[in-house]
Amino acid sequence: MNQNNENFNESINPDFKAKKSLMRSVDEYVEGIVSGNRTILSQAITLIESSREDHKELSREILENCLDRTGNSVRIGITGVPGVGKSTFIDALGIDRIVKGDKIAVLTIDPSSSLSKGSILGDKTRMEALSVHPDAFIRPSPASGTLGGVARKTREALLLCEAAGFNIILIETVGVGQSETAVHSMVDFFLVLMLTGAGDELQGIKRGIMEMADMIAINKADGANLDSAKRAVQQIQNALALFSDRPSGWKPPVVMCSAMEGSGIIELWEKIENYVHQSRKSGYFVQKRKVQSIDWMVETIEQQLKEMFYKHPDVKRHLMDFENKVNEGTISSFKAASELIKLFESKKS
Ligand code: GDP
């Protein structure tokens, strides 16, 4: 196609260029990704997020071809309420690590962007230093989908980032719904950022978070906050002592930091390195990833089966009828479900 035609197509459809540029060959994508080309990495992630069948197919092939280059990063989940300082913290930690020679990718899981049509994490300019650094890659949460869908896409994006040579992957979430659990299921280390408050520090912790945390960091431990931060550390340590020992043998530390001033960040990272070292040595690191992979396989099967079911022509045709019958009380919901599943199965064999 000549230049004039391309310009013409773009002038009538501004998306033309974007769509066209997504359609490289699998080899072009894979070569681009493994050579660390961030533009191509970004385009491949866009394919992962796309709902178009041809994009899905292409992204599956790209992923498949990148798999033997994945797994070589430390995957860290970071959560905390809005305003706790996640982006300031990630910016500070990220730049610290880049100076030491690491390459950082930051992905986010923010189901609020599809639930409330407004993203909690994406609305402002975040991570100012990191976002312009050539050794960093920042990708906001997919803009739509269920938490399960968003989590799957993020996990696939994580693998592509690893193939692109990023050796520290930070996955950030704001803790809406079950998003912490989703992040926890794909990382090696889970960091919870907290604020110190008026003596009620523990009230803000969602159930289950303490069990998931591999470290709790009280951020904004600076200025007038310092004393109450120290008290919060004590309180949280006491609370953690009530939990039974972890299978990894790791005792989650409670630390203080100031992302704004940059204090405590180096010490915090050393603790993460200790964890990685310890758990690699004991075999727990690898074991945990294996368990996660199996969980993801099961989850992927469940999601795909569900998708196949609702796309099945007979199911589509009769679903509404059965809903009406259940609504009228002429058939039980169990019977309706098993009839629909029969329809789904009959065409398979
Ligand atoms: P996020 O919503 O969790 O990503 O929080 P941000 O990183 O956007 O921070 C929210 C506000 O807290 C911003 O105004 C930051 O400047 C401020 N902030 C972040 N970290 C610190 C810190 O360590 N100390 C103090 N005093 N303020 C901080």
Side-chain angles (χ1 to χ4, degrees), residues 312-337:
H312 191 284
D314 289 349
V315 172
K316 267 166 114 172
R317 202 171 312 124
H318 294 283
L319 185 62
M320 188 78 97
D321 282 352
F322 279 103
E323 280 181 5
N324 288 337
K325 285 183 190 161
V326 172
N327 190 29
E328 290 157 6
T330 53
I331 187 173
S332 76
S333 43
F334 308 105
K335 177 85 177 144

Side-chain angles (χ1 to χ4, degrees), residues 91-104 129-130 133 135-136 167-168 266:
D91 213 26
L93 173 68
I95 293 294
D96 252 21
R97 293 316 313 163
I98 284 176
V99 169
K100 303 278 179 349
D102 290 320
K103 288 182 78 190
I104 315 285
L130 215 50
H133 202 291
D135 287 334
N167 67 326
I168 297 176
I266 293 174

Side-chain angles (χ1 to χ4, degrees), residues 81-88 124 126 219-220 222 258-260:
V81 295
V84 71
K86 290 180 296 303
S87 45
T88 314
K124 51 201 160 128
R126 313 179 78 238
N219 189 35
K220 306 198 186 181
D222 47 43
S258 167
M260 201 174 66

